Structure formats: C-alpha cells, structure tokens
Amino acid sequence: MEIILQIVFNSIVSGLVLSLMVIGFNYIFNVTKVFHLAHAGIFTLGSFAFWKFTDLGLHWLLASILAMSISSLIILLIEKAIYLPMIRKNTDPSVTLIASMGLYVIIVNLIAMFFGSDNKIVSSSVNILEVNGIIISTNQIIQLLVGTFVVVVFYFGIKLTKLDISLKAIADNDILGEIYGVNSKRVRSLIMIIGSIIAVIAGILTTIEIGIEPHSGMNVTLTAATVAILVTRLDVKYLILVSILLTLFQNTIEWFLNSQWKEGLTFLILLMVILYKTEGLVSYKLRKN
Amino acid sequence: MNYILHILVLLEIYILLAISANQKVGFSGLLSLAQAVIYGVGAYGIAIFSSHLEIGYWIPFILAIGSCLILGLIFSFIAGKVIELYFSLATLAVQIIFFSVIYNSELTNGSYGISGIASPNVFGYEINSPLEFSIYAGVWIMIVIIFLKRFYSSPLHKLIKATKDDEIAVLNLGKNPKYYKRISILISCLISGIAGTIYASYASYIDPSSFTLDESILILSIVLIGGSGRLIGPIVGALIYILLPEILKFLNIPEMIAANMRMILFGLILVLIVRFRPNGILGKKTFK
C-alpha cells in the first residue's frame, strides 16, 4: 500500500515537471505548426546556463533569470531565421521537423564541446521527510511548488491577457486569424518565448534533482511530444492530467519490469494512437459530415 | 594501410545505407526516422541466425534479409495509413520501440550485444581482413548500383516517382499508390538489410548503441546533404560524412572536439539545406 502511494506521489511530482515541457511543446506545435524537437536543446541550454551561473557563484534566482533570457534570445533567433521563413514558404511539416532536429544537434554538440558530456550536478542540500510512510525530498517539494506556480501563472496569464484566444485563432487558421486582426508573427514569437521559458524552468527543476548532461533533454521532449499527440486540444488542464497519467504509467512499468521498457511501451501507445486515432485521444469535437 | 581500409569499409556501408534511405526519401517522399531499424534487423538477424542455426553463412543471410522485408511490410502498412509528419512520427516511434526491444530482449543479449558473428564465405573462401571486406562490400555496391540503374529506367519506377509527385493523379490512372510505396520501401529495406549484414560480419560484434535514433537521423541527413532523388547524392553525402573527421584531424583539432565539430557542421549544413531549398528535398512539383 505504501509503495503504491509512493509511486503515485512521485508520479504527480514528475508528471507536473513533465507537463511544463508538454505545455510549451503542445502550444508551440499547434500554433506555429513546427514539431519543435529543438525544445530539447532549449531545455538543455537553459539547464547548462543555470549550472554555469550558479557554479560561478551567482544567486540561484539571478542564474535562472539569465538562463531564461539566453534561451529566449536563442529561440527568437531560431524562429526569425529558420522556422518563420520555412512556414511562410509552405514547407512540408516533416521538413521543418528535420530542420528542428538539425538545430537540436547543433545546440547539444555546441554545449558538449564547451562544457564536456559528463553529468553536471548543482550542489544543494537535500533533506528527506517522511509523511505517513511516504518519502518526500525537499527537491520534490520545490518541484511541486514551482511547478504548480508556473502552471497557474500560465493558465491565468493567457486567459487574462486574452492571449489564449489569439493562440487558438492562429492554431486553427492563421490566415483567417490575421484577417480578423491577430498579429500572427507576434503571437508565434510570443508563444515560442513563453514555451522556452517554461522549458528552462522544467530543466532547472530537473537539474537540481538529478543533474544535467547534454543529451538528457531528448527523452523528456519525446515524452512531451507523445502527450502533445495524445492531446491535440489547447487545454492546460488536460495536458497536465495526461502528463501525470503517462508518468504514472511509466513509473508503474519501471517498478514491475525495468526502466528501459517504459520508453518502448510509451511509444507503442503513441504508434497505436497515430495509426488508429490520428486526431488524438483528447481533441476538439468536430462536426461530422 | 589497415586504417584506410577500415575507413573504406565504413564508407561503403554508409553508401549502402544512404542509397537505401534515398529510395524512400528521394523517390517516394517518405521521411522515415527509422532507417537504423532495418539496418539493425539485418545485423541482428545475421548474428542471431548464424549463431543459433550453425548452417554456414548464406542461409542465415537469406533469413536476415527476409526479416528485413517483413519489417518493410510493416513500414508500408504505416505508409498506407498516415502521411507526411505523422508518417515521420510513427517511424520515430518504431525506432524507439525497436531500441527498447533489442536493449531488453534475451535473444539479442541486451546491452552486452552479440560477439563472434560469422564471416561470409564465398566459394569456400572466408572473408576476414579489412581488404577482403572492402572488396566484398564493394561488390555489393556494384550489384546494387547496376540493379538500381536498370530499375530507374523501368516503368515501375516512373510510377513510384509519380506517386510521390501526385498520389491522386496516380489513383486516377487506375493504379494503387500504396502498392508503389510498398515496392519502394521493400527495395530500401533490402539494401539496408545487406548493409546490416556486412556491418555485423565486419565488426563481428554488435550492440544496441549502433542502432539508435541518432543513427537514423544521421543516415537521413547524409541523404539530404548529398541531395536526394539521384543515385550520386547519397554517395556524395556518405563521402562528406566519412571524410569530414579526417579533414578535421589534419587541422590538428583534438579528437574529442572533432567528434562534436563534425556533428555541428553536419547539423548546420542540414539546417541550411532544408531552410533554403526545402522543395529541393521532397521535390514537390507545383504548376504555376
């Protein structure tokens, strides 16, 4: 019984961190139509910047803000120089996927070249609490609090600024959206930056727990991409729910089988959904002909 | 001398892999991210069948290629169901599932890999040294190129290209586009499978790390950089990929940095190509 509670608790915490990646990935994919696998590069870049700045002795808050700023600049450059011109030329989405992979390769290898490929750890004192037999580390509490805070800010932020309506308009039909006065270039850049900032937060939350190495962004991004295909609706609540459920599923497999099978089985679900329910498990209700 | 021959064998294997990927990407417009899967099935096929059956080299060889073709049928099923981005994503899923299976399965000996793989035996003559392997792989490349040269001038190939350009037009001609995609995928699997068997016999040891997603992306980028849709493209791409680190070595760049620099340069060329010539890659023809 205790072990089940422990797995559920761990899944909620890591699912919440995953959902930060998912929200960014899903919004970017739906709004800009780019299957942005370079999100993994941004995740890694932000985490490495955070590690480097704290290593230099900066306060963690300042280090985080610097990491976010650097990542935002890079993503803005990518959007303006690569993605936007490609979309404007009506490039096939699978070709933009290749461009994104190329960008990922460049970012990750640049990081590996300058900082080495070994695992970098941010030293922090970890305390462990025990509540009703469930072991909770201080890092998990930080992840839970920061994760919830970011999700809430994002949810109400886009609602109150009416950004969500613009996002949905551009996601649905960017030409119609522009006709009705939505500045699609601005909305695209904005969601890219917001998504990247959230990704960097997810990266920092992961780094304080298990450290960071150049290639560790890909796995979490692929899982986030899986959720983005399962849930095609731009709805934060469903994205968080499915992220947590998927993490629970993975942790259960990890407990009963081993950690390598969890990826295989996750992607088996993805393959089945792509083949038999391409519009996703949670999608908008479409009027049938 | 042996080092140059070693580079030559690697080059030949990548030429085969790139030609195989070109068949899918260049002629059928299927951006598959699972090139390494078929390569891996060929390699693991020869390793498992030759060690378990112990009946020479060629029967396991045929069984390994047969397994690749069965896998090809699965890919053509996917290609029949979903297109474009979703095809790429489905193959990406297959790639990760495949890696998970070979990493965990008892049959493939997990992360430890399989060693002591049989060498090809041609008319009673065992192929062992790098020199012999470079000739053996060279012969396979000749066979593949001669076959493809003939195939490219056949009516069947024209229909494969037509399917890429306009599927609905092909349908209007009373032809089944899925059939032409399947032929293209099967030919691609055949060539990848051969490359896999050569690699397994040459290295005589294989483990899952040779068949990762990175490898698939690499093969795909070799094709895109060399230029898809022509036979010379993949050969040029493979040459660039194999010779780039040798050039970096001449510039006295340390090996650790050279490995990263090769990938950075490769990624950069890839991004620039898809950014500035996106239609050159999938080659969609549009009427103005």
Side-chain angles (χ1 to χ4, degrees):
Chain A
M1 189 59 206
E2 274 171 7
I3 195 72
I4 294 172
L5 278 175
Q6 181 76 53
I7 289 177
V8 170
F9 176 75
N10 287 353
S11 304
I12 290 172
V13 175
S14 11
L16 197 63
V17 177
L18 173 67
S19 75
L20 298 181
M21 285 297 278
V22 170
I23 290 169
F25 192 92
N26 194 356
Y27 271 83
I28 290 174
F29 175 48
N30 280 301
V31 173
T32 67
K33 308 292 178 224
V34 177
F35 203 80
H36 179 48
L37 282 183
H39 211 50
I42 299 294
F43 175 93
T44 317
L45 179 72
S47 311
F48 262 85
F50 176 76
W51 164 77
K52 190 69 204 167
F53 288 130
T54 45
D55 207 42
L56 290 173
L58 260 63
H59 187 256
W60 62 268
L61 193 61
L62 190 60
S64 317
I65 291 168
L66 280 172
M68 287 174 206
S69 323
I70 290 173
S71 307
S72 306
L73 274 177
I74 298 286
I75 195 66
L76 202 60
L77 192 72
I78 291 174
E79 157 74 4
K80 292 291 176 205
I82 314 282
Y83 289 159
L84 187 63
M86 287 184 83
I87 295 290
R88 284 281 185 262
K89 277 200 228 167
N90 258 336
T91 312
D92 191 290
S94 50
V95 178
T96 46
L97 167 72
I98 301 296
S100 183
M101 280 190 168
L103 290 167
Y104 166 74
V105 169
I106 297 172
I107 296 173
V108 165
N109 281 288
L110 274 174
I111 293 171
M113 195 164 92
F114 285 110
F115 300 113
S117 323
D118 52 322
N119 195 20
K120 304 285 188 290
I121 296 163
V122 176
S123 56
S124 61
S125 53
V126 181
N127 293 317
I128 291 184
L129 315 170
E130 207 177 319
V131 183
N132 292 341
I134 303 172
I135 297 163
I136 302 170
S137 74
T138 40
N139 281 338
Q140 280 180 315
I141 295 172
I142 296 172
Q143 288 177 338
L144 201 62
L145 291 177
V146 175
T148 316
F149 174 73
V150 171
V151 167
V152 168
V153 167
F154 179 80
Y155 182 74
F156 288 104
I158 61 169
K159 269 232 151 80
L160 292 176
T161 54
K162 301 235 164 65
L163 183 62
D164 65 332
I165 297 172
S166 312
L167 287 170
K168 277 176 189 162
I170 299 296
D172 194 35
N173 189 333
D174 58 340
I175 296 170
L176 257 183
E178 283 209 340
I179 291 171
Y180 281 100
V182 181
N183 185 344
S184 83
K185 273 189 199 167
R186 194 176 142 263
V187 171
R188 283 174 61 98
S189 308
L190 213 56
I191 194 64
M192 281 269 179
I193 291 174
I194 295 173
S196 302
I197 287 174
I198 303 179
V200 172
I201 295 172
I204 293 171
L205 289 178
T206 315
T207 307
I208 56 169
E209 193 183 4
I210 54 170
I212 184 81
E213 54 170 311
H215 292 277
S216 51
M218 201 47 168
N219 267 341
V220 56
T221 306
L222 283 176
T223 318
T226 307
V227 181
I229 289 170
L230 299 183
V231 184
T232 51
R233 202 146 115 182
L234 289 179
D235 194 328
V236 177
K237 285 167 289 186
Y238 280 108
L239 291 174
I240 296 169
L241 183 70
V242 175
S243 306
I244 290 175
L245 286 177
L246 191 70
T247 316
L248 186 63
F249 170 74
Q250 289 190 331
N251 285 348
T252 319
I253 291 168
E254 198 168 358
W255 182 256
F256 288 109
L257 287 165
N258 77 42
S259 63
Q260 276 294 325
W261 282 116
K262 77 177 183 192
E263 270 171 30
L265 287 167
T266 308
F267 280 85
L268 194 62
I269 296 176
L270 175 67
L271 184 62
M272 290 301 141
V273 170
I274 289 178
L275 289 181
Y276 295 102
K277 212 167 181 325
T278 315
E279 76 273 18
L281 292 179
V282 184
S283 55
Y284 290 109
K285 273 187 192 139
L286 296 174
R287 203 184 304 162
K288 294 226 168 82
N289 291 330
Chain B
M1 189 62 196
N2 262 354
Y3 179 69
I4 295 172
L5 286 171
H6 171 69
I7 297 285
L8 184 64
V9 177
L10 282 185
L11 174 67
E12 286 169 331
I13 290 170
Y14 275 103
I15 287 177
L16 281 175
L17 288 173
I19 289 177
S20 146
N22 184 33
Q23 180 63 37
K24 265 189 250 171
V25 179
F27 296 118
S28 285
L30 298 164
L31 272 175
S32 161
L33 292 173
Q35 308 290 351
V37 172
I38 305 148
Y39 176 43
V41 169
Y44 270 101
I46 196 86
I48 291 167
F49 287 126
S50 69
S51 63
H52 284 254
L53 296 178
E54 294 184 348
I55 38 167
Y57 182 79
W58 294 103
I59 293 172
F61 177 82
I62 291 165
L63 289 173
I65 301 294
S67 322
C68 292
L69 293 180
I70 291 170
L71 198 73
L73 290 177
I74 297 175
F75 280 115
S76 60
F77 169 73
I78 296 174
K81 276 205 99 94
V82 285
I83 54 164
E84 293 177 353
L85 180 66
Y86 285 91
F87 175 78
S88 301
L89 296 179
T91 52
L92 179 101
V94 172
Q95 166 70 51
I96 292 167
I97 295 166
F98 173 75
F99 183 79
S100 178
V101 169
I102 57 171
Y103 198 88
N104 292 298
S105 168
E106 296 261 311
L107 194 62
T108 56
N109 205 12
S111 57
Y112 300 109
I114 300 175
S115 57
I117 297 162
S119 297
N121 193 323
V122 186
F123 305 121
Y125 186 80
E126 186 123 334
I127 289 169
N128 272 324
S129 70
L131 176 68
E132 288 159 349
F133 262 105
S134 62
I135 297 169
Y136 175 71
V139 170
W140 271 118
I141 291 181
M142 291 308 288
I143 294 172
V144 166
I145 287 180
I146 291 168
F147 166 73
L148 286 180
K149 277 269 176 202
R150 288 187 72 94
F151 178 68
Y152 287 166
S153 54
S154 68
L156 179 61
H157 189 253
K158 293 208 166 56
L159 276 162
I160 288 177
K161 284 207 286 193
T163 308
K164 184 186 87 168
D165 289 338
D166 195 337
E167 215 168 295
I168 294 165
V170 173
L171 208 59
N172 273 340
L173 293 172
K175 312 278 184 191
N176 183 359
K178 282 184 191 173
Y179 172 75
Y180 298 106
K181 280 186 191 169
R182 190 184 308 148
I183 298 283
S184 189
I185 290 174
L186 287 180
I187 289 174
S188 161
C189 289
L190 189 71
I191 302 169
S192 272
I194 292 169
T197 59
I198 296 172
Y199 173 72
S201 305
Y202 174 65
S204 91
Y205 165 76
I206 48 170
D207 68 348
S209 67
S210 309
F211 312 106
T212 54
L213 175 63
D214 293 355
E215 188 73 15
S216 284
I217 298 172
L218 185 68
I219 298 167
L220 188 61
S221 51
I222 287 176
V223 177
L224 296 181
I225 287 170
S228 61
R230 285 158 66 198
L231 194 51
I232 192 76
I235 299 173
V236 172
L239 265 170
I240 296 173
Y241 173 69
I242 296 289
L243 296 183
L244 201 59
E246 306 305 317
I247 297 166
L248 291 178
K249 247 181 231 167
F250 268 111
L251 299 173
N252 276 333
I253 294 166
E255 207 157 307
M256 271 307 290
I257 293 178
N260 291 132
M261 258 179 94
R262 162 158 87 164
M263 293 311 288
I264 293 168
L265 285 174
F266 228 65
L268 199 62
I269 302 172
L270 186 67
V271 171
L272 290 178
I273 283 180
V274 293
R275 161 71 177 80
F276 290 104
R277 297 198 51 208
N279 293 337
I281 287 150
L282 284 181
K284 271 194 182 152
K285 289 197 181 83
T286 46
F287 292 99
K288 283 189 179 148

